[in-house]
Amino acid sequence: MSLKALNVPSIDFVGKRTYAIIFSAMLVVLSIFTLTTNGLKLGIDFTGGTLIEVGYKQGVDLSEVRATMAEAGFNRANVQYFGSTNEILIRLEPQSISSAKLSTKIIQLLGSDVDIRRVEFVGPKVGEELTNDGGLAMLYALIGILIYVAFRFEYRFALGSISALIHDVIITLGFFSLFQFEFDLTVLAAILAVIGYSLNDTIVVFDRIRENFLSTRHVDPATIINGALNQTLSRTIMTSLTTLLVLVALFFLGGEIIHSFAMALLIGVLIGTYSSIYVASSMILAMGITKEDMLPSEKEKQEVDTRP
């Protein structure tokens, strides 16, 4: 046995695919259930409204600020710390007064010693356009990936990769819906990044599956796929771990602005790594992929034979 062979693990991923499918189905059903019942807690990027960042000279109690805002009629104001206890972020629904008047009113409510750092207004129409554009961006990305993978590999690989990507996106959205974390433009950008990351992992596995199909004889597809998953396992784990290390640092040290972005990527990378091993490969095996599907067509053979 060669040294290379000794370094390759022999984990029976394919043999555990039934448990993985059940686990994935439970997560997807739970995610769809919470998305249909709770929905997403959309940020003002999508709903429209006013974002006000306020600075204090010393730490402030959020409950007191919330009570003050509620007494003034801002019952649905979202108040949270922004980086430290001296800075808070207030999100308000669309108001009928101008930003200048709203700033003056907030200062009167919170006291003259507060410092209004910024006031951002997003109109409802802009929020609606962002919602539509974000959904279209995700749809276009999935269609482009479907065409690319079908052209590079085979249609069953395309369906397998798209199944894994939809699986990853639904579970990530379900996580945000279940815990009612705010879904804003940074999270949408993270979802698109998760699609790219998960696809990259899946393509690496698919490449090895195709190589193994072409280089071996009289071996069943399940054994071929299991071998490819084990041969790419070290690469998959190392890539995921190094990416997660960066994301954990961003999550804890990156500040409030990219907190949701880092959290969405953390969930997406974990789910994407799992799906590249269990979901995509299980799909192409269930669709009956064989060695004959990997062989070049007669037309492609003739083109190769006629090349100088």
Side-chain angles (χ1 to χ4, degrees), residues 29-205:
V29 169
L30 175 63
S31 298
I32 293 175
F33 176 76
T34 186
L35 282 168
T36 53
T37 54
N38 296 334
L40 289 169
K41 183 183 178 183
L42 297 175
I44 65 169
D45 297 334
F46 297 103
T47 62
T50 305
L51 179 72
I52 304 172
E53 183 183 344
V54 180
Y56 286 81
K57 293 179 181 176
Q58 61 279 332
V60 62
D61 187 354
L62 284 184
S63 59
E64 294 180 2
V65 178
R66 289 180 182 130
T68 303
M69 297 295 293
E71 289 174 3
F74 299 109
N75 296 315
R76 300 187 63 179
N78 185 314
V79 182
Q80 63 184 107
Y81 288 124
F82 188 68
S84 69
T85 56
N86 290 19
E87 298 176 331
I88 61 173
L89 206 59
I90 303 173
R91 292 179 172 87
L92 301 174
E93 293 179 323
Q95 304 294 314
S96 58
I97 59 177
S98 66
S99 298
K101 290 182 179 178
L102 184 61
S103 301
T104 304
K105 190 171 183 177
I106 294 298
I107 291 176
Q108 290 173 348
L109 288 173
L110 302 182
S112 57
D113 59 335
V114 302
D115 177 24
I116 300 293
R117 304 283 173 80
R118 62 173 165 137
V119 178
E120 295 180 3
F121 171 76
V122 179
K125 184 171 179 58
V126 175
E128 183 180 347
E129 290 176 355
L130 287 173
T131 304
N132 294 333
D133 291 346
L136 287 175
M138 200 173 298
L139 180 64
Y140 292 153
L142 291 175
I143 292 174
I145 290 167
L146 182 67
I147 295 172
Y148 166 72
V149 178
F151 179 77
R152 179 171 175 179
F153 293 95
E154 205 251 357
Y155 80 92
R156 274 166 282 209
F157 284 85
L159 294 177
S161 62
I162 289 297
S163 301
L165 295 180
I166 293 175
H167 167 275
D168 300 344
V169 170
I170 289 177
I171 292 176
T172 306
L173 291 176
F175 178 84
F176 272 76
S177 172
L178 182 64
F179 295 100
Q180 286 294 288
F181 292 125
E182 188 170 290
F183 188 91
D184 55 21
L185 277 180
T186 63
V187 179
L188 176 62
I191 296 288
L192 293 173
V194 165
I195 290 175
Y197 179 89
S198 179
L199 177 68
N200 181 53
D201 252 5
T202 304
I203 290 294
V204 171
V205 175

